[in-house]
Amino acid sequence: MAPRTFWKGYLKLSLVTCRVAMTPATTENERVRFHTLNRKTGNRVVSRYVDSVSGKPVDEDDEVKGYERGEGDYILIEDEELEAVALESTRTIDIDIFTPRDSIGWVWYDRPHYLVPDDPVGEEAFSVIRDAMAATDMVGIARLVMYRRERAVMLEPRDKGIVVWTLRYGDEVRDPALYFGGIGEAKPDSKLMPMIKKLIDERTKHWTPEMVDDPVQGRLLEIIADRKKGRKRPVKKAPAEAEAQPSNVINIMDALKKSLASDPKGKSGGKAGGKGR
């Protein structure tokens, strides 16, 4: 069963408009979650705000937002002031810019959402916008109020629908030059490249969701299933961390030769047929 729609509105391109519905493309509903309990009573523990100096509980009416301008020095911002700068929720995704699909780096992508037509009447308009973007390898850029803030969103055609990505704000993405700029310009030995490519080739497989399974989630579900049956598993001690390999004493050529001589991982796997996204 498809999850319940969390947003409904209109998709608009110039004078072409259609009704659409949007749902988050990812979910954490299946993740194992725990509550904190009082071991003695079995009751849930309730969180409360307390004064960091006096340690006394703070009444809800006395709670106020504060912006720290110096150590221990805050500017108080009232709820009415925060509400005054809130944006009106718009129900129209008005595409006003198109840009090449590969011109937006992955680091700008935030949350994906599935966008679909919301009635049969608008399906043709939805389909022609989707197919035109796919044919020109373009994505659409619009602005939309989501999660209580105005956000730039990117519309990407995908299969029969459209994926709406919220994009990160400009001040959220760090400049890679600050981190990669210090890496030297030296090129590796040309003899090493074919060996690395062979290792990559031997480990190449088609993408499947099983590649990103959460092993901890599976173990937690096993523990919960045992507890339901009244069984308790013995707790295994975590393995000691392996001693770090010395980074200054290594012969890359020897390491590659040993890697290729050993049983290669994924030798039976097929070639990767598609991109991860």
Side-chain angles (χ1 to χ4, degrees):
M1 180 184 296
R4 187 174 62 183
T5 300
F6 94 121
W7 186 94
K8 288 190 175 186
Y10 296 88
L11 175 62
K12 182 174 183 289
L13 173 58
S14 189
L15 299 179
V16 180
T17 305
C18 60
R19 293 179 60 87
V20 289
M22 184 161 50
T23 303
T26 59
T27 178
E28 294 186 354
N29 290 345
E30 301 303 317
R31 188 176 296 277
V32 174
R33 300 180 184 278
F34 296 101
H35 296 291
T36 301
L37 309 178
N38 182 337
R39 186 188 296 275
K40 294 180 180 179
T41 64
N43 299 327
R44 286 183 59 180
V45 174
V46 179
S47 299
R48 296 186 67 185
Y49 286 108
V50 298
D51 189 292
S52 61
V53 177
S54 69
K56 295 180 179 179
V58 179
D59 292 335
E60 187 174 346
D61 291 341
D62 292 328
E63 295 172 10
V64 63
K65 298 289 190 297
Y67 175 82
E68 188 172 16
R69 59 183 172 186
E71 187 173 351
D73 182 17
Y74 296 89
I75 298 173
L76 303 185
I77 307 294
E78 301 296 338
D79 289 343
E80 301 79 36
E81 295 176 284
L82 294 174
E83 291 171 3
V85 299
L87 297 162
E88 285 188 24
S89 178
T90 176
R91 288 290 166 179
T92 301
I93 304 174
D94 189 355
I95 308 176
D96 55 0
I97 297 175
F98 289 93
T99 190
R101 181 195 298 262
D102 60 2
S103 66
I104 303 178
W106 62 267
V107 73
W108 293 97
Y109 291 30
D110 186 19
R111 296 188 192 182
H113 307 75
Y114 292 144
L115 189 73
V116 298
D118 196 33
D119 60 32
V121 176
E123 197 166 306
E124 183 180 14
F126 178 92
S127 298
V128 73
I129 294 173
R130 175 202 63 205
D131 292 350
M133 287 194 294
T136 56
D137 203 26
M138 293 285 182
V139 293
I141 304 296
R143 299 195 77 86
L144 189 64
V145 176
M146 296 177 67
Y147 307 108
R148 302 181 67 180
R149 297 183 71 180
E150 185 183 68
R151 296 173 180 272
V153 295
M154 183 190 81
L155 288 82
E156 176 187 23
R158 181 72 61 90
D159 297 328
K160 294 182 179 180
I162 293 174
V163 176
V164 176
W165 284 90
T166 56
L167 299 177
R168 301 185 192 278
Y169 295 103
D171 57 2
E172 291 180 332
V173 177
R174 291 172 172 163
D175 183 357
L178 298 175
Y179 305 90
F180 302 153
I183 299 176
E185 299 292 336
K187 292 185 178 181
D189 187 337
S190 60
K191 296 178 182 178
L192 301 176
M193 192 62 68
M195 303 175 77
I196 288 289
K197 287 181 176 179
K198 187 175 181 181
L199 282 175
I200 292 173
D201 184 62
E202 289 173 347
R203 285 159 174 75
T204 298
K205 292 184 178 181
H206 288 282
W207 160 260
T208 65
E210 287 74 22
M211 292 181 181
V212 289
D213 276 350
D214 183 357
V216 173
Q217 174 89 350
R219 292 169 193 156
L220 287 174
L221 290 173
E222 290 174 1
I223 292 173
I224 292 169
D226 284 343
R227 289 295 180 87
K228 287 180 178 178
K229 297 176 183 177
R231 297 197 299 260
K232 186 175 181 180
R233 294 186 173 201
V235 179
K236 295 181 180 179
K237 290 185 177 181
E241 291 189 12
E243 194 172 323
Q245 294 286 337
S247 59
N248 58 337
V249 184
I250 182 170
N251 185 306
I252 300 177
M253 182 66 77
D254 288 346
L256 284 173
K257 287 180 179 178
K258 289 179 181 178
S259 296
L260 291 169
S262 64
D263 185 26
K265 295 180 181 178
K267 195 170 184 178
S268 60
K271 299 290 183 185
K275 295 180 181 179
R277 280 198 321 97

